[in-house]
């Protein structure tokens, strides 16, 4: 009888510990920087789904998307196909950064960039700064 009680207590303790660990993981607020360097619109749509998935699984997380090279098209007014999704993600706190080096290289003026974006001098330096500050890094794409 005492053996059964002991086994039951061990099982119950394990269940409580596992539940506590799950709650901690769900409640964690992550800081994630996403790098977007492709103009593939399938990737752009996928990125919007990924952002939504992260915010659903880990509410309160801080997310930033850094766009450069061909990825700048995500933020160009007359080229983006996900502007409404960007607006939705902005309302949920996601930041979108446009690389000024890319704008210069591609001769794109800042007024061609959607209002929801902000500007950084160098996309790669922005990503490095975030990583040095402890942010996780994800490269958007397939």
């Amino acid at each position: 009888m005492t053996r059964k009680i002991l086994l039951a207590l061990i099982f119950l303790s394990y269940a409580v510990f596992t539940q506590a660990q799950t709650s901690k993981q769900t409640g964690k607020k992550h800081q994630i920087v996403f790098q977007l360097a492709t103009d593939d619109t399938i990737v752009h749509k996928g990125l919007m789904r990924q952002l939504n998935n992260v915010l659903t699984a880990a509410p309160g997380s801080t997310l930033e998307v850094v766009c450069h090279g061909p990825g700048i098209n995500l933020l160009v007014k007359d080229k983006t196909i996900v502007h409404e999704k960007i607006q939705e993600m902005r309302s949920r706190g996601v930041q979108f950064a446009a690389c000024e080096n890319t704008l210069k290289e591609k001769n794109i003026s800042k007024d061609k960039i959607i209002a929801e974006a902000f500007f950084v001098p160098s996309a790669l330096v922005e990503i490095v700064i975030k990583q040095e500050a402890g942010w996780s890094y994800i490269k958007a794409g397939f």
Side-chain angles (χ1 to χ4, degrees):
M1 179 81 158
T2 57
R3 192 176 226 177
K4 288 182 182 179
I5 293 173
L6 181 60
L7 286 174
L9 286 174
I10 291 172
F11 178 75
L12 182 61
S13 296
Y14 177 76
V16 169
F17 175 76
T18 302
Q19 180 61 38
Q21 288 299 99
T22 302
S23 297
K24 284 181 186 177
Q25 290 174 351
T26 305
K28 183 166 172 66
K29 293 182 172 137
H30 305 283
Q31 294 177 306
I32 306 169
V33 60
F34 291 80
Q35 177 185 18
L36 180 68
T38 179
D39 65 352
D40 185 337
T41 57
I42 293 172
V43 172
H44 295 183
K45 290 176 186 177
L47 173 61
M48 295 301 120
R49 283 191 305 276
Q50 290 170 346
L51 296 171
N52 181 64
N53 290 346
V54 170
L55 291 174
T56 300
S61 294
T62 305
L63 308 180
E64 182 177 315
V65 178
V66 180
C67 302
H68 67 104
I72 200 70
N73 288 343
L74 180 85
L75 303 176
V76 175
K77 290 176 185 174
D78 63 346
K79 294 186 179 180
T80 185
I81 64 162
V82 292
H83 193 186
E84 288 181 16
K85 290 289 187 184
I86 290 171
Q87 290 171 326
E88 178 188 332
M89 290 299 110
R90 276 294 300 126
S91 73
R92 295 175 71 188
V94 179
Q95 298 287 318
F96 292 86
C99 175
E100 291 177 344
N101 284 338
T102 296
L103 297 179
K104 288 176 195 168
E105 178 186 317
K106 294 185 171 290
N107 201 25
I108 301 170
S109 62
K110 287 184 176 181
D111 65 327
K112 301 287 185 195
I113 301 299
I114 61 174
E116 293 78 13
F118 71 99
F119 300 95
V120 294
S122 167
L124 296 180
V125 172
E126 176 73 2
I127 292 166
V128 168
I129 289 168
K130 296 295 185 193
Q131 288 182 297
E132 289 174 342
W135 288 49
S136 298
Y137 164 84
I138 297 177
K139 181 172 176 78
F142 302 109

